[in-house]
Amino acid sequence: MANSKYEYVKSFEQPDILLQNVWIVVRIDGRSFHKFTTKHDYAKPNDDRGLSLMNRAALEVCKEFPDIVIAFGESDEYSFVLKKSCNLFERRSSKISSSIVSYFTSQFVYRWKEYFGEHELKYPPTFDSRCVLYPTDENIKDYLSWRQADTHINNLYNTCYWALVLKAGKTPIEAENELRGTFSDGKNEMLFSRFNINYNNLPAEYRKGSVIFKKQVQETNKETGLTKSKKRLVIEHIDIISEKFWKEYPDILGLK
C-alpha cells in the first residue's frame, strides 16, 4: 500500500550502489561442496560431469546477463566479470550478486540430469557470492591470473593427494603429512616417479580451468552452404595469464 504509515521501514534499507566506471566481479563459490561431492560420488580429484555442469550453468549465466564480458571457473567456483559501463540493476551490489548466483544455482539444478543421468540429486546445492570492484584493466587481468594460478596450485596438490590415497593406500592424514612443505617440483616428481603421471599431460581443463568469452567462429548455413564469421560464447581451457591472450582478444576489455 502506497503512503501507508508503515512505509517508514524502507528507510532501514542501506544503499549499496557500486562505484561507477570500474570492473565488477561476481565470484560464486560452492558452499560445503566437499560434503556435496562426496554425497554425490564425484570422481577424485576431478569429475568431468561436475566440471561440465559448472561450465554449462556459467554459460547460461553469460547468456542471461550480456554485461558479462568474460568468466573464469575452477572446481566449484566461478568468477563473472561485468563491463565497466554496466548499469544492471542500477549497479546495486546485492541485486547483481543475488541475481547471478541464484540463476547459476537454478541452472545447476535444472541441468543436473543432462550431465549426471540417473544419478539422483540427493539434496540441492548452495552457492555464496560477492561483488568485488577492480578499478583498472591491469587489476582485472591480475585478478583472473590469480584465479588461474590458484587452479594450478589446487589441482597439483589434489592430484598428488588423491594419488596417495587411492593408489598408494595412504590415509587422508598420511597423505596430508607427506605433502606438507612440498613444492611444485617435488609434487611433479612424485606423480611421475611413483604413479607414472605426467602432470603436463593431464587435461588442460584440470590444470587451467575454464574461460568463457565471445569469440569469432566460422558457421556454415546448412541450407545455403555459405560460411559466415560470427561472435559466439565459447568455453576454452587456455592460458590467460600470458599477455598473448589479451593481445589476441583485446575487445574483451575494450583494449583495441
Side-chain angles (χ1 to χ4, degrees):
M1 187 190 310
N3 299 316
S4 74
K5 67 177 182 178
Y6 306 111
E7 196 169 358
Y8 78 94
V9 298
K10 289 175 63 178
S11 65
F12 289 96
E13 294 184 20
Q14 295 297 306
D16 61 349
I17 296 175
L18 297 170
L19 189 67
Q20 293 286 338
N21 200 36
V22 295
W23 297 105
I24 302 171
V25 171
V26 176
R27 185 165 75 246
I28 68 168
D29 201 0
R31 176 176 172 270
S32 299
F33 248 62
H34 177 74
K35 173 187 173 184
F36 181 86
T37 56
T38 300
K39 191 74 173 177
H40 290 89
D41 300 318
Y42 272 49
K44 304 295 185 181
N46 293 286
D47 189 293
D48 290 331
R49 301 165 303 171
L51 291 173
S52 295
L53 177 55
M54 288 287 293
N55 289 339
R56 178 60 183 278
L59 181 66
E60 296 302 325
V61 168
C62 292
K63 292 177 182 177
E64 181 70 14
F65 300 97
D67 282 320
I68 296 170
V69 296
I70 187 170
F72 178 81
E74 59 156 322
S75 186
D76 63 341
E77 172 191 306
Y78 243 99
S79 296
F80 299 94
V81 180
L82 287 79
K83 59 188 179 182
K84 286 184 174 181
S85 60
C86 166
N87 199 37
L88 182 64
F89 302 122
E90 298 179 332
R91 294 179 76 90
R92 291 178 60 188
S93 177
S94 57
K95 294 272 282 187
I96 294 173
S97 177
S98 62
S99 294
I100 287 178
V101 73
S102 62
Y103 194 75
F104 182 95
T105 306
S106 66
Q107 285 290 334
F108 189 98
V109 173
Y110 179 68
R111 299 185 184 278
W112 174 267
K113 280 195 173 183
E114 291 182 36
Y115 296 89
F116 282 82
E118 296 306 309
H119 196 96
E120 180 189 5
L121 181 61
K122 297 177 180 178
Y123 66 90
T126 55
F127 295 85
D128 62 49
S129 68
R130 75 222 72 173
C131 286
V132 186
L133 303 181
Y134 295 92
T136 70
D137 297 343
E138 200 63 32
N139 291 155
I140 197 62
K141 288 193 288 184
D142 285 347
Y143 170 81
L144 292 167
S145 295
W146 170 49
R147 300 320 305 139
Q148 187 163 69
D150 193 64
T151 303
H152 162 68
I153 293 168
N154 290 339
N155 187 65
L156 180 56
Y157 180 91
N158 289 333
T159 302
C160 291
Y161 174 87
W162 286 107
L164 289 168
V165 171
L166 298 177
K167 297 184 178 183
K170 301 286 186 180
T171 67
I173 295 297
E174 288 172 339
E176 289 174 7
N177 288 337
E178 187 162 342
L179 290 171
R180 185 173 291 115
T182 59
F183 296 98
S184 293
D185 288 349
K187 291 184 178 74
N188 275 297
E189 177 60 26
M190 173 193 292
L191 288 174
F192 189 73
S193 62
R194 294 173 60 179
F195 304 106
N196 197 32
I197 296 174
N198 185 329
Y199 182 77
N200 291 326
N201 289 340
L202 294 178
E205 181 174 10
Y206 302 168
R207 296 178 289 110
K208 298 182 179 182
S210 300
V211 189
I212 303 177
F213 62 103
K214 282 189 174 180
K215 178 180 179 180
Q216 290 288 151
V217 296
Q218 299 297 315
E219 294 185 350
T220 301
N221 187 300
K222 293 182 180 179
E223 295 181 358
T224 66
L226 296 176
T227 299
K228 290 184 178 181
S229 179
K230 294 187 177 181
K231 265 198 172 184
R232 299 293 189 203
L233 284 168
V234 297
I235 303 172
E236 298 193 355
H237 317 294
I238 53 178
D239 178 16
I240 58 173
I241 296 177
S242 167
E243 278 298 314
K244 178 184 176 183
F245 174 80
W246 301 106
K247 289 178 180 178
E248 189 171 353
Y249 305 105
D251 53 317
I252 292 176
L253 301 183
L255 301 176
K256 65 178 182 179

